[in-house]
Amino acid sequence: MIAGKQQSQHSQLFSLKGAILTLSILTLISFSYFSFKSIRPPLPLSPSTPQLTLLPTTSSSPDATVPSHAHIVANEKEHNVDEGGEKEDGGDLFTDVYHSPKLFKFNFEEMERKFKIYIYPDGDPKTFYQTPRKLTGKYASEGYFFQNIRESRFRTDDPDQAHLFFIPISCHKMRGKGTSYENMTIIVQNYLDSLIAKYPYWNRTLGADHFFVTCHDVGVRATEGVPFLVKNAIRVVCSPSYDVGFIPHKDVALPQVLQPFALPAGGNDVENRTSLGFWAGHRNSKIRVILARVWENDTELDISNNRISRATGHLVYQKRFYRTKFCICPGGSQVNSARITDSIHYGCVPVILSNYYDLPFNDILNWQKFAVVLRENDVYNLKQILKNISQEEFVTLHKNLVTVQKHFQWNSPPIRYDAFHMVIYELWLRHHVIKY
């Protein structure tokens, strides 16, 4: 009995020693592991996220406290810049004006090497197809695109090589010939039906790899009558308003550029800009009516309720852009306005006053870096918002504005990074999501 009891005690003691030994071994292994990790060289850290200061919310009440227009402030050493601070294309490509400058450069170069677009050859060029109506005026963007695509490296005559298919129907030419909206819709419908019947390409994706370009607002109205075109194909339009069916991830905002410009581009002329803000135009929208009513008698904001008469002098309207720090750009009959690209060209920081507006190249360019983007309700506090922008902030905005001027200029033949190439780049980004 005693022997059995002693044997049980020895067994328990042995178990206890075994547990302690096992615990000691595990502790030693853990200690060795963490010690080894501590002497390893640290892994490279990912680039630090830029610290952002966001634009505060403003109130529509005139009595509300108006904060300073705080632009997005990031580290000067942009994490997307190549090591060594290497810059290309005039030294201004790698700046925080671009959301992802290094990625933009990489993708742009790939686009130049690979992208191919097939233009349907059908349609009588003397009517509404193939050729632009003209390359001048506030709807010149449509005409330049039609011409540029034929002058560019991106065109292919082999549809089997094409990434996208261009439907070359010009609503601007229809407008020039006085075609009614109803007849425009019929023309677009019949033309598209003929392409679908003649070629197999639309049916492969139900038009997802097709696009059309129209800058005039009547073009938007004409194509809205063909629902499967609007819903399926990529729309490149100058009226990219969310409340009329514009789909940002599918469609493309075409900049409305008034070319040829009457005067040379502005830039490096901050000292000449002594006027706080400027706008002159017709009251053809609610926001313009409010802008004129609230500020037309102000002594610091130069707000005119009508276009400046040519009788007052040659190019008086355009010359005002050279003397002004901020040019007010309220939406008109459409959310867009050629005044925005006028402001960019003449070096006057645009103040965007338009709801639901998908700004051109918005997924490439950081508009907060070269423009003041406000909601329409901010019109009541407009002067204080602009006065709260320091001179240092304005100089930075102006400098960045000069950087992006080339992106809002059409050329024939097209030039690298101009408006045509930026639109093509937007199309290149969208073609990646199309599968068949």
Side-chain angles (χ1 to χ4, degrees):
M1 186 73 177
I2 295 174
K5 186 175 181 180
Q6 290 177 340
Q7 185 176 2
S8 175
Q9 288 176 344
H10 282 300
S11 177
Q12 291 176 355
L13 182 61
F14 178 79
S15 298
L16 179 61
K17 289 181 178 180
I20 294 173
L21 179 61
T22 301
L23 180 62
S24 301
I25 292 172
L26 290 174
T27 302
L28 179 61
I29 292 173
S30 299
F31 178 80
S32 301
Y33 171 76
F34 288 111
S35 298
F36 174 74
K37 281 198 68 177
S38 68
I39 62 175
R40 289 179 60 194
L43 295 174
L45 295 176
S46 58
S48 59
T49 303
Q51 299 300 311
L52 303 182
T53 302
L54 302 180
L55 177 66
T57 302
T58 56
S59 169
S60 60
S61 169
D63 298 324
T65 302
V66 182
S68 171
H69 176 81
H71 304 287
I72 296 178
V73 178
N75 295 328
E76 287 300 322
K77 295 182 179 179
E78 171 64 43
H79 65 276
N80 285 312
V81 179
D82 282 339
E83 291 185 11
E86 180 183 355
K87 298 185 179 183
E88 295 185 5
D89 301 288
D92 59 7
L93 180 58
F94 290 115
T95 72
D96 57 6
V97 168
Y98 305 88
H99 290 300
S100 301
K102 189 174 182 180
L103 186 62
F104 172 53
K105 176 180 181 293
F106 176 82
N107 283 336
F108 190 95
E109 291 173 349
E110 184 182 24
M111 173 197 75
E112 290 181 305
R113 293 192 305 269
K114 298 180 179 180
F115 200 21
K116 296 299 178 184
I117 296 172
Y118 179 74
I119 306 173
Y120 282 109
D122 305 69
D124 181 3
K126 295 181 180 179
T127 54
F128 316 115
Y129 312 96
Q130 303 298 335
T131 56
R133 179 186 173 198
K134 58 181 181 179
L135 298 181
T136 59
K138 60 182 180 179
Y139 303 113
S141 294
E142 180 179 316
Y144 268 103
F145 186 90
F146 271 67
Q147 178 155 314
N148 284 173
I149 191 66
R150 286 176 170 77
E151 302 169 319
S152 75
R153 72 181 75 185
F154 305 109
R155 181 184 181 181
T156 178
D157 293 326
D158 182 358
D160 293 327
Q161 291 185 353
H163 298 93
L164 291 181
F165 295 79
F166 177 39
I167 304 172
I169 186 166
S170 175
C171 294
H172 191 208
K173 287 181 73 174
M174 295 183 195
R175 177 180 180 272
K177 292 179 179 294
T179 309
S180 67
Y181 292 121
E182 293 77 12
N183 287 337
M184 284 185 184
T185 298
I186 294 172
I187 293 169
V188 174
Q189 177 79 65
N190 291 341
Y191 180 57
L192 191 58
D193 287 343
S194 70
L195 298 182
I196 294 173
K198 184 176 179 180
Y199 302 93
Y201 309 112
W202 175 279
N203 291 324
R204 296 187 309 189
T205 64
L206 293 180
D209 56 356
H210 287 56
F211 71 94
F212 65 95
V213 176
T214 180
C215 191
H216 201 275
D217 50 352
V218 299
V220 175
R221 293 181 61 178
T223 54
E224 282 176 346
V226 188
F228 68 95
L229 173 64
V230 172
K231 296 294 184 182
N232 295 1
I234 300 169
R235 295 196 295 170
V236 184
V237 295
C238 283
S239 301
S241 179
Y242 301 135
D243 59 349
V244 294
F246 182 83
I247 305 173
H249 68 272
K250 175 180 77 72
D251 300 329
V252 175
L254 182 68
Q256 188 177 25
V257 184
L258 179 60
Q259 282 192 224
F261 293 108
L263 295 170
N268 303 317
D269 53 1
V270 170
E271 65 282 355
N272 297 329
R273 300 182 180 276
T274 56
S275 178
L276 179 62
F278 167 64
W279 175 77
H282 300 301
R283 296 195 296 180
N284 58 351
S285 67
K286 180 180 178 181
I287 183 59
R288 291 187 177 191
V289 170
I290 297 173
L291 177 66
R293 187 180 72 237
V294 175
W295 299 111
E296 63 181 339
N297 296 318
D298 191 83
T299 57
E300 294 179 272
L301 292 178
D302 183 4
I303 305 297
S304 300
N305 190 17
N306 290 292
R307 287 279 188 181
I308 298 175
S309 173
R310 294 181 180 179
T312 60
H314 184 58
L315 299 176
V316 171
Y317 174 77
Q318 290 83 355
K319 291 175 182 176
R320 294 277 184 91
F321 284 83
Y322 287 130
R323 303 201 308 265
T324 308
K325 296 171 69 175
F326 301 100
C327 288
I328 318 303
C329 303
S333 56
Q334 300 290 323
V335 292
N336 61 296
S337 170
R339 187 177 280 99
I340 296 175
T341 50
D342 280 347
S343 301
I344 293 172
H345 174 76
Y346 294 117
C348 183
V349 175
V351 179
I352 315 297
L353 269 176
S354 183
N355 294 342
Y356 311 112
Y357 185 21
D358 194 69
L359 292 160
F361 319 136
N362 197 33
D363 48 358
I364 306 169
L365 302 176
N366 185 350
W367 279 76
Q368 297 282 0
K369 295 293 184 178
F370 59 91
V372 181
V373 184
L374 303 175
R375 293 176 292 272
E376 291 185 0
N377 281 343
D378 291 324
V379 66
Y380 299 102
N381 299 317
L382 180 60
K383 183 170 76 170
Q384 196 58 49
I385 290 173
L386 299 182
K387 292 187 72 173
N388 283 350
I389 298 174
S390 69
Q391 181 65 14
E392 182 181 3
E393 286 180 305
F394 167 69
V395 170
T396 300
L397 286 169
H398 176 75
K399 179 182 177 182
N400 291 339
L401 190 68
V402 175
T403 297
V404 302
Q405 283 176 338
K406 61 180 175 289
H407 299 318
F408 297 88
Q409 169 78 46
W410 294 92
N411 303 283
S412 182
I415 298 174
R416 200 175 194 220
Y417 297 117
D418 67 359
F420 171 74
H421 281 88
M422 294 292 281
V423 173
I424 291 293
Y425 181 76
E426 291 277 23
L427 291 168
W428 168 252
L429 294 180
R430 282 153 180 77
H431 102 274
H432 286 292
V433 300
I434 301 167
K435 302 293 182 183
Y436 60 87

